[in-house]
Amino acid sequence: MVPMPAILIRNGTVVTAERSFAADILVDGEKIRDIAPSLPAEAAGRVIDASGMLLLPGGIDAHTHLDMPFGGTTSSDDFETGTRAAAFGGTTTLIDFAIQAKGTKMRDALDTWWKKAAGRAVIDYGLHMIVTDLGEAGLEDMDSLVAEGVASFKLFMAYPGVLMVDDATIFQALSRTARNGALICMHAENGGVIDVIVRRALAEGKTAPIYHALTRPVTAEAEAVNRAIAMAEIAGVPIYIVHLSSEDALNKVREARDRGLPAFAETCPQYLLLSVEELARPNFEGAKEKHHPPKLWDGLKNDHLQVVSTDHCPFCFEDQKALGKDDFTKIPNGGPGVENRLQLLFHHGVNQGKLSLNRFVELVSTTPARLFGLYPRKGTLAAGSDADIVVWDPQASHVISAKTHHMRVDYSMFEGFTVKGNAKLVMSRGEVIVEDGQFHGRAGRGQFLKRAARGGAWK
Ligand SMILES: [Zn+2]
């Protein structure tokens, strides 16, 4: 490898989860060497003028599904197109999900997902493991995966017969983390109840896509969140709730945290910005009623919610989503969003006074790094950290549209949304991979991240 010349980023405002301050950043190779006012330019091979710009740690999206098999199709972004789109939006790390197929070893799934990512990923990535079957040796397998840097596992309380595991399995997995230091991520919805409601709807001829939303009462989410946290409390371990979408579920997390329990939760831009009243527009089947989003914003502000991720899981509208036009149970779940997370949260959060700049950074980068064992290598701007840096133009205006986005999908949940604030330049481990709307990275440069056990959730 030819050593990269040092890069000096001058005149910007450095923003971390703790504070904002005027300083220059000197990048040497893949790392940040120094952050201080008025660093000398002589040693640098390139000087970037960041006057009027914010310098943010690269975004970390802890919930994506690239190249994911579902219902006979696969999510339309693979590790190349998905990570490239992420980079355009200022995200420099993803944590995706490998899925254990029932009756097989988790290790096989890890190998499968490494193959999907190898030669394709543009930015660094970690993997969570979705556990569908503990089998004979599942608990020992969890320990070996932690040793491989897969320090978090996801379990489903929904989708009976496909992904759902029972409470005994959940409790065993939770209990095991006391020993191996992993973090359990929970898809918390009462799958048995939802399944019955869905079958009733189908029997009544209610098959249109809107019924995807209408067959998921918020109480089914709140109940499962409550049960998941209770099981973690009995096991004496932390827990992380994924894609929390309703006020009712949020209240359960808040109550647990008020009691001092290490319960954490993420929400996603679609739950903050779209509601079921808007389902006429394309297209987000998981939406809730419109009184929920303001409560979720409050939750982000008051640290009842700790992370914003996307659950990026794109399926094309024309051919893939159309599978469900006459039967909502056949719609592949999930929507595209990995490119727009920072834009949407900055505009609707920071610009509209709902979040401070530092809280914004904490939600999109620092806390996911801490909880998932990447901090301080990722998630902050500091000497010695990876040079994953976003030069953010707070004045840049951008209209979100499927016509211009970089995700490989033919619609946008946020079509026509105008946002102010966008990534001007994106650096991943010291390399400029996006600048002024041009891509300079390459497939395969992204590295698998071995994440540490006993991350921030354990402290
Ligand atoms: Zn997901």
Side-chain angles (χ1 to χ4, degrees):
M1 281 263 293
V2 186
M4 290 184 279
I7 300 177
L8 182 66
I9 308 174
R10 296 176 92 173
N11 306 322
T13 300
V14 174
V15 184
T16 67
E18 293 80 31
R19 61 197 186 107
S20 312
F21 54 101
D24 300 343
I25 301 181
L26 182 64
V27 172
D28 191 6
E30 300 193 338
K31 302 282 182 188
I32 294 173
R33 193 205 288 174
D34 201 3
I35 301 181
S38 311
L39 288 170
E42 294 82 61
R46 179 176 175 195
V47 176
I48 294 167
D49 180 29
S51 302
M53 302 288 146
L54 305 175
L55 306 177
L56 315 175
I60 299 177
D61 192 337
H63 192 152
T64 63
H65 301 278
L66 302 176
D67 201 356
M68 187 194 82
F70 186 93
T73 184
T74 55
S75 57
S76 56
D77 269 321
D78 62 18
F79 273 82
E80 181 172 350
T81 63
T83 55
R84 187 169 168 275
F88 271 100
T91 288
T92 54
T93 301
L94 301 183
I95 312 178
D96 205 270
F97 292 87
I99 308 176
Q100 176 202 23
K102 274 197 178 128
T104 69
K105 297 189 70 78
M106 296 172 206
R107 179 59 214 226
D108 300 338
L110 181 59
D111 289 335
T112 301
W113 259 261
W114 274 343
K115 277 197 204 102
K116 288 172 188 277
R120 294 197 181 89
V122 167
I123 58 173
D124 294 348
Y125 64 96
L127 291 168
H128 312 279
M129 179 63 62
I130 292 177
V131 178
T132 56
D133 182 1
L134 276 180
E136 292 282 290
L139 296 173
E140 290 81 20
D141 288 354
M142 283 175 70
D143 299 349
S144 12
L145 280 164
V146 172
E148 295 270 15
V150 180
S152 47
F153 299 85
K154 183 180 180 188
L155 300 169
F156 281 78
M157 301 170 86
Y159 307 114
V162 187
L163 294 165
M164 184 168 140
V165 289
D166 62 14
D167 287 353
T169 302
I170 292 169
F171 184 65
Q172 281 181 294
L174 280 164
S175 302
R176 190 68 171 202
T177 66
R179 198 154 121 184
N180 62 32
L183 180 60
I184 298 290
C185 305
M186 197 66 77
H187 176 118
E189 278 187 310
N190 189 315
V193 166
I194 290 170
D195 224 37
V196 172
I197 297 174
V198 164
R199 275 187 273 127
R200 272 188 210 150
L202 290 178
E204 291 165 15
K206 296 172 174 168
T207 57
I210 183 82
Y211 289 103
H212 191 284
L214 300 182
T215 51
R216 286 177 156 67
V218 292
T219 311
E221 183 184 31
E223 182 283 320
V225 166
N226 190 58
R227 180 157 39 104
I229 293 173
M231 287 190 275
E233 183 178 9
I234 299 167
V237 298
I239 189 162
Y240 180 90
I241 308 293
V242 300
H243 54 53
L244 187 141
S245 68
S246 67
E247 177 188 8
D248 310 60
L250 172 63
N251 287 340
K252 303 299 181 189
V253 176
R254 181 176 44 74
E255 284 162 22
R257 292 178 62 81
D258 285 349
R259 286 200 291 125
L261 294 177
F264 303 87
E266 65 177 20
T267 190
C268 312
Q270 54 270 35
Y271 300 117
L272 293 163
L273 297 168
L274 304 177
S275 60
V276 73
E277 288 84 351
E278 299 179 75
L279 274 184
R281 54 179 294 145
N283 187 300
F284 171 52
E285 301 86 11
K288 299 290 190 292
E289 297 142 296
K290 66 181 174 208
H291 70 272
H292 295 283
K295 300 296 180 183
L296 298 177
W297 281 109
D298 286 348
L300 290 176
K301 185 176 177 183
N302 297 314
D303 201 34
H304 306 142
L305 294 169
Q306 292 71 41
V307 172
V308 176
S309 61
T310 61
D311 199 7
H312 177 80
C313 190
F315 293 94
C316 287
F317 212 74
E318 278 299 312
D319 46 344
Q320 295 182 310
K321 288 272 186 189
L323 291 171
K325 84 178 159 18
D326 302 314
D327 177 354
F328 69 90
T329 65
K330 299 205 167 62
I331 303 175
N333 290 297
V338 74
E339 184 169 350
N340 307 123
R341 184 179 61 124
L342 271 63
Q343 298 160 353
L344 290 166
L345 207 69
F346 185 85
H347 182 79
H348 291 274
V350 178
N351 289 349
Q352 298 189 10
K354 296 192 194 86
L355 301 173
S356 74
L357 207 42
N358 308 97
R359 181 62 178 160
F360 162 74
V361 165
E362 194 165 38
L363 291 165
V364 300
S365 179
T366 310
T367 301
R370 285 186 197 277
L371 291 180
F372 292 107
L374 293 169
Y375 190 88
R377 179 179 169 191
K378 308 284 193 190
T380 192
L381 296 174
S385 292
D386 280 1
D388 291 1
I389 303 170
V390 180
V391 178
W392 186 264
D393 182 349
Q395 301 301 330
S397 182
H398 176 68
V399 181
I400 296 174
S401 173
K403 293 190 190 76
T404 52
H405 72 201
H406 301 86
M407 300 178 284
R408 190 161 68 191
V409 63
D410 58 357
Y411 78 104
S412 171
M413 292 189 282
F414 307 103
E415 185 70 36
F417 277 46
T418 300
V419 288
K420 199 170 92 173
N422 201 2
K424 181 175 167 55
L425 181 147
V426 179
M427 200 182 271
S428 163
R429 276 184 288 101
E431 198 178 327
V432 174
I433 57 171
V434 171
E435 185 170 7
D436 294 323
Q438 297 298 311
F439 182 66
H440 299 285
R442 61 187 187 286
R445 65 168 298 288
Q447 297 176 355
F448 173 70
L449 296 166
K450 282 188 124 184
R451 295 179 294 114
R454 283 182 212 287
W458 291 85
K459 313 244 146 66

